[in-house]
Amino acid sequence: MTRTTTRLFDKALVLDAIVASFRKLNPRVQLRNPVMFAVYLGSILTTLYWLRSFTQSSTESTGFTLAVAIWLWFTVLFANFAEAIAEGHGKAQAASLKKSRTSVPARRLTDLKSRAAVEVAAPDLKVDDLVLVEAGESIPADGEVIEGVASVDESAITGESAPVVRESGGDRSSVTGGTRVISDWLIVRVKALPGQSFLDRMIAMVEGAKRQKTPNEIALAILLAALTLIFLLVVATLLPFSMCAVQTSGQGQAISLTVLIALFVCLAPTTIGALLSAIGIAGMNRLSQANVIAMSGRAVEAAGDVDVLLLDKTGTITLGNRQATRFVPAPGITDREVAEAAHLASMADETAEGRSIAILAKNLFGLRGRDLEQIQPHFVPFSARTRMSGVSLDGSEIRKGAAEAVESHVKSLGGFLPDQSRAVVQQIAKSGGTPLVVSRDAKVLGVIELKDIVKGGIKERFAELRQMGIKTVMITGDNPLTAAAIAAEAGVDDYLAEATPEAKLALIRDYQKGGRLVAMTGDGTNDAPALAQADVAVAMNSGTQAAKEAGNMVDLDSNPTKLIEIVNIGKQLLMTRGSLTTFSIANDVAKYFAILPAAFAATYPALKALDPMRLTSPSSAILSAVIFNALIIMALVPLALRGVKYRPVGAAQLLRNNFLIYGLGGLIVPFVGIKLIDMVLYVSGLA
């Protein structure tokens, strides 16, 4: 899989984001973020107050008012920049998808039998129209193959250069508009209207500007808006208190509008308010970089809270095809004799199992293919009725297949299945493998063990998930004995054997009744009910249209193990939001010690005791806090975009680490930062 990723601060993206930062000063755009809208209004009021100072005398320095106004505008622009740069990454990815969205002519069938067709523009197609697509032509719309088998180039969608096979029936019948048929032909039933195709939905979801806020993000935004309103009321009441204190004591002066606005901006949770949208957009971008398209932001967030993973055995936990692992000879037969017979019987077997038998024979005994023209064999293909395959050669009949089928075959020729071989068959079956018996004429030569090969490193991945508090459940159509053996080898927590669509659905509902969030993958029509029920449902892009419509995510790589990566991305999103919220709150606490003594020291001299930084002057303290408030937003933009690295540890340790790094760090950094800015202002003569 080849993916093109854009550098975090690509020059073109940064320039576009700077322009977008000014464009986002539109009041209607600012109104979407209540916290930053309040700062935006404060910037306007401070600017107007500065302009007013030219016509009316003021006790406050115009230079101080201008400096505060400028840095408040920078605070708003930095928040806009954080959102714009995150959106820019999404739009860069969407741009590559848009290149593949072309309007192509379509041959709409008017009669399926005669293949009579009329040429129409792709946008004129309707749901359930039938279209004929031949080699070299692009598929005009999303749909399902009802006839034909063809190789399809999906590189415009997935980035994978290797073509894939699409055919009618089964789990590989879904096709995407914009992909190209490179061999043979297909008849496709249209399943999506123009503008509502899978590609259109992908583009809309990848573009950050069209991203819908998640429930958690909405709840946090409401909390931040409430805190902003509380601080606004607190600051508004300080002016009359200050005026009363001056009149009563007869000393000092009432707090000015500039100081009030600066105080409000430093008290309000501006840091997380400025970065909240960027965090969410960046989370969606990371998912799309993993070649997964989420149909809703809710699904991404839910992935971070998942505590049960339902994983299909074949292709996810195991390699997908059973492999020959050993030859077990019958009494009086050598290993090599069994291998030679099995190799001959597998020469025309193009299945993965057949090829693995030939490879094992070659590796163990150096056996190689023979010249078929010289030996002139007669191959017997496998059939579901006989459950055997083999070859007739030099007057001998060599067969391999299911134990019962081969035993019946040798009995018809006067032979029998030895007790030792029968015991081997039973032992292999109990261990979760598949036994194949090999015979020559009426004599059983031995047994081949086929085994599901568990993917390397998958057991360690499941151990990591267990550390996260996530339960793994393997789903398989195998019998309970086989399922139990593979589950034990893979290290999953539980398994569902002989799984049916109804059993999968019932299992998900049982977990959900217990208050657990469930994630699963699927690609077939029979997976659709369970996918629709799961909280995080990842459909394979190679799967059926029904599966893709039932899921809330689509994996363009069709890699079932991607579910583990999706969970990590979801947890990283929640971690980033939580960590920066902790930092923001701790940050605000530290800023109180800078700005409160400065704002009220003239009226209440006792407040000077709350100034541990010993800042140069009240105006320097206020300006330093405002400058720091703006700069810290820019400093945290890379972290918001990259995300906080998630490590598979327990919830208690995560919370402890969060408080130590972002809580304690949020308290210390402002003290250091504000003091350094104050020193710079003093040295430069601006204090």
Side-chain angles (χ1 to χ4, degrees):
M1 178 69 205
T2 304
R3 299 177 190 157
T4 55
T5 56
T6 310
R7 287 185 295 116
L8 197 61
F9 290 108
D10 181 79
K11 184 179 178 181
L13 284 183
V14 170
L15 291 175
D16 288 342
I18 291 172
V19 174
S21 300
F22 287 92
R23 196 181 299 122
K24 286 176 179 287
L25 290 176
N26 185 322
R28 284 179 296 182
V29 176
Q30 292 297 312
L31 195 56
R32 294 188 310 217
N33 188 334
V35 180
M36 296 314 299
F37 182 66
V39 180
Y40 174 72
L41 292 178
S43 306
I44 295 173
L45 287 173
T46 311
T47 305
L48 293 175
Y49 188 66
W50 172 69
L51 292 172
R52 177 176 171 272
S53 67
F54 289 104
T55 59
Q56 297 182 18
S57 60
S58 172
T59 56
E60 197 166 56
S61 165
T62 55
F64 170 73
T65 306
L66 176 61
V68 171
I70 289 172
W71 281 102
L72 289 182
W73 281 114
F74 272 127
T75 303
V76 177
L77 288 171
F78 290 164
N80 290 348
F81 178 82
E83 184 176 53
I85 195 74
E87 288 175 358
H89 282 275
K91 288 173 181 175
Q93 294 170 42
S96 63
L97 293 174
K98 286 179 179 177
K99 291 177 183 176
S100 66
R101 187 176 59 180
T102 55
S103 181
V104 296
R107 281 185 285 168
R108 184 172 60 198
L109 294 176
T110 55
D111 183 74
L112 184 59
K113 288 185 179 179
S114 65
R115 303 282 174 84
V118 293
E119 189 168 294
V120 299
D124 295 333
L125 292 172
K126 297 174 182 170
V127 174
D128 290 332
D129 279 351
L130 300 180
V131 294
L132 174 65
V133 190
E134 295 183 330
E137 297 176 349
S138 293
I139 296 171
D142 289 6
E144 196 138 21
V145 179
I146 62 167
E147 279 190 31
V149 181
S151 293
V152 178
D153 176 10
E154 294 187 342
S155 58
I157 307 297
T158 66
E160 179 61 63
S161 58
V164 295
V165 175
R166 292 289 176 260
E167 57 188 336
S168 60
D171 293 343
R172 297 185 178 273
S173 59
S174 174
V175 290
T176 304
T179 57
R180 190 169 60 89
V181 174
I182 57 177
S183 73
D184 303 297
W185 56 270
L186 296 172
I187 294 178
V188 177
R189 187 186 302 277
V190 176
K191 290 291 185 181
L193 291 170
Q196 300 176 6
S197 69
F198 177 63
L199 186 57
D200 289 313
R201 283 183 289 161
M202 284 167 60
I203 293 168
M205 288 306 303
V206 169
E207 289 183 314
K210 298 183 181 180
R211 181 188 64 90
Q212 298 297 311
K213 290 185 177 181
T214 64
N216 186 286
E217 189 175 347
I218 291 170
L220 184 55
I222 292 171
L223 174 63
L224 296 178
L227 289 173
T228 301
L229 181 60
I230 291 169
F231 286 124
L232 190 61
L233 293 173
V234 169
V235 170
T237 59
L238 289 177
L239 182 59
F241 274 112
S242 174
M243 293 171 68
C244 289
V246 171
Q247 290 175 2
T248 304
S249 64
Q251 62 177 359
Q253 59 186 36
I255 191 169
S256 69
L257 178 63
T258 304
V259 174
L260 277 175
I261 292 172
L263 177 62
F264 164 73
V265 170
C266 291
L267 292 180
T270 49
T271 307
I272 186 62
L275 297 172
L276 185 60
S277 181
I279 293 168
I281 295 170
M284 296 291 288
N285 289 346
R286 282 194 293 276
L287 198 67
S288 61
Q289 286 166 8
N291 248 21
V292 178
I293 300 301
M295 299 306 172
S296 72
R298 184 188 294 267
V300 187
E301 191 170 279
D305 288 327
V306 158
D307 45 21
V308 177
L309 286 187
L310 302 186
L311 300 159
D312 189 48
K313 181 206 74 176
T314 306
T316 305
I317 294 172
T318 64
L319 291 176
N321 296 299
R322 297 195 166 197
Q323 307 285 309
T325 57
R326 61 172 177 151
F327 300 112
V328 185
I333 306 295
T334 65
D335 291 359
R336 187 180 182 88
E337 287 178 283
V338 182
E340 285 178 343
H343 185 257
L344 285 169
S346 302
M347 287 178 65
D349 190 346
E350 290 301 320
T351 65
E353 290 84 355
R355 288 195 296 271
S356 75
I357 291 171
I359 290 169
L360 182 64
K362 176 184 174 183
N363 291 341
L364 292 179
F365 303 104
L367 300 178
R368 297 183 179 274
R370 299 186 184 182
D371 189 341
L372 299 183
E373 290 186 3
Q374 291 183 359
I375 60 176
Q376 295 183 340
H378 171 67
F379 292 107
V380 179
F382 176 84
S383 76
R385 184 179 61 82
T386 63
R387 294 192 296 160
M388 289 189 305
S389 63
V391 61
S392 296
L393 179 69
D394 298 333
S396 295
E397 294 184 2
I398 300 173
R399 298 290 183 269
K400 67 176 173 65
E404 299 86 351
V406 175
E407 182 179 14
S408 177
H409 172 71
V410 296
K411 277 185 177 179
S412 68
L413 299 176
F416 64 94
L417 179 67
D419 291 339
Q420 293 93 326
S421 295
R422 191 185 305 278
V424 170
V425 166
Q426 292 172 352
Q427 181 263 327
I428 292 172
K430 285 180 180 178
S431 68
T434 299
L436 294 182
V437 175
V438 184
S439 70
R440 184 190 293 271
D441 299 326
K443 188 171 186 177
V444 170
L445 300 178
V447 182
I448 308 168
E449 180 180 16
L450 295 180
K451 190 176 179 183
D452 273 309
I453 305 300
V454 173
K455 288 183 176 179
I458 198 75
K459 191 168 187 176
E460 290 73 20
R461 294 295 297 274
F462 290 150
E464 288 180 10
L465 291 170
R466 200 171 295 112
Q467 279 186 294
M468 298 180 199
I470 297 174
K471 180 178 182 179
T472 51
V473 181
M474 182 185 77
I475 297 178
T476 177
D478 290 336
N479 62 69
L481 278 176
T482 301
I486 296 169
E489 185 178 351
V492 295
D493 299 309
D494 202 355
Y495 63 89
L496 176 67
E498 298 176 343
T500 62
E502 294 80 8
K504 295 177 191 176
L505 187 60
L507 182 65
I508 291 173
R509 285 175 174 168
D510 285 343
Y511 280 121
Q512 289 174 333
K513 284 177 185 176
R516 310 187 80 167
L517 289 180
V518 181
M520 77 163 287
T521 60
D523 59 359
T525 301
N526 64 339
D527 292 321
L531 286 170
Q533 183 67 37
D535 299 287
V536 178
V538 185
M540 301 295 102
N541 189 44
S542 62
T544 61
Q545 192 72 19
K548 289 200 280 190
E549 289 174 0
N552 48 31
M553 292 187 187
V554 177
D555 175 19
L556 302 181
D557 294 335
S558 299
N559 176 8
T561 58
K562 189 72 69 63
L563 186 56
I564 298 172
E565 190 175 346
I566 290 168
V567 169
N568 280 328
I569 291 171
K571 286 191 175 294
Q572 187 181 34
L573 172 64
L574 295 180
M575 278 281 296
T576 304
R577 192 182 295 155
S579 298
L580 291 185
T581 300
T582 303
F583 184 90
S584 178
I585 293 170
N587 205 17
D588 291 340
V589 170
K591 283 184 287 189
Y592 300 162
F593 287 93
I595 201 164
L596 284 174
F600 296 100
T603 307
Y604 301 105
L607 287 176
K608 288 183 179 178
L610 296 177
D611 180 17
M613 290 176 277
R614 296 292 183 263
L615 301 175
T616 304
S617 66
S619 59
S620 176
I622 293 167
L623 188 55
S624 297
V626 171
I627 293 172
F628 175 83
N629 195 65
L631 294 180
I632 197 64
I633 292 172
M634 278 302 292
L636 291 174
V637 168
L639 184 61
L641 297 182
R642 289 196 184 98
V644 175
K645 188 174 181 181
Y646 176 75
R647 292 179 177 82
V649 295
Q653 189 175 340
L654 275 178
L655 185 62
R656 187 165 55 250
N657 292 346
N658 193 40
F659 276 119
L660 283 173
I661 297 170
Y662 297 97
L664 189 59
L667 281 171
I668 295 171
V669 169
F671 283 104
V672 177
I674 291 172
K675 181 61 179 176
L676 286 174
I677 294 169
D678 175 70
M679 291 167 65
V680 171
L681 292 176
Y682 176 74
V683 171
S684 60
L686 298 174

